[in-house]
Amino acid sequence: MIWLIAYDIADDRRREAVSAVLCAWGARVQLSVFECEFPSQEKADEVLAEIEKIIEEVDDQVRVYRLWRDEAASVRIIGRRRLEEREDFWIV
């Protein structure tokens, strides 16, 4: 299952924090849109709860769409911009 997560967050610091959380789980496909894969529903719930703690409910909005593999495979992409791949990194 693919999770499409889009957000509109008013504050740069909160936006970057949400982006950092989602970068660990998927690829950024638009400036404020990620396609994520979680190993379980429990992990997805955990990540979304983490995001809920970051955002301000009055000022920000996060939309989450679950797509079954068949639905995700039928996504039509227009344009050639290459998707950002998730990269593992080390902090030294």
Side-chain angles (χ1 to χ4, degrees):
M1 178 175 294
I2 302 291
W3 297 69
L4 185 69
I5 302 173
Y7 53 84
D8 187 7
I9 297 176
D11 177 74
D12 289 343
R13 190 173 51 175
R14 291 194 309 268
R15 187 179 325 109
E16 288 178 22
V18 168
S19 173
V21 169
L22 294 174
C23 277
W25 296 102
R28 183 190 300 263
V29 294
Q30 293 287 317
L31 195 58
S32 299
V33 181
F34 281 80
E35 289 179 353
C36 297
E37 290 189 66
F38 302 110
S40 65
Q41 179 66 49
E42 290 76 21
K43 179 49 83 177
D45 292 341
E46 182 181 311
V47 171
L48 296 177
E50 185 177 351
I51 290 171
E52 276 189 71
K53 290 178 186 173
I54 295 170
I55 69 166
E56 289 290 332
E57 191 173 317
V58 174
D59 298 330
D60 306 329
Q61 184 180 76
V62 178
R63 290 179 172 258
V64 180
Y65 303 89
R66 293 187 305 178
L67 302 173
W68 296 104
R69 289 254 177 233
D70 291 346
E71 295 166 329
S74 68
V75 170
R76 183 175 174 192
I77 300 171
I78 301 171
R80 293 185 181 185
R81 180 175 177 260
R82 187 173 171 191
L83 296 180
E84 177 181 315
E85 297 293 330
R86 184 173 65 190
E87 296 180 18
D88 294 329
F89 58 89
W90 296 86
I91 298 175
V92 179

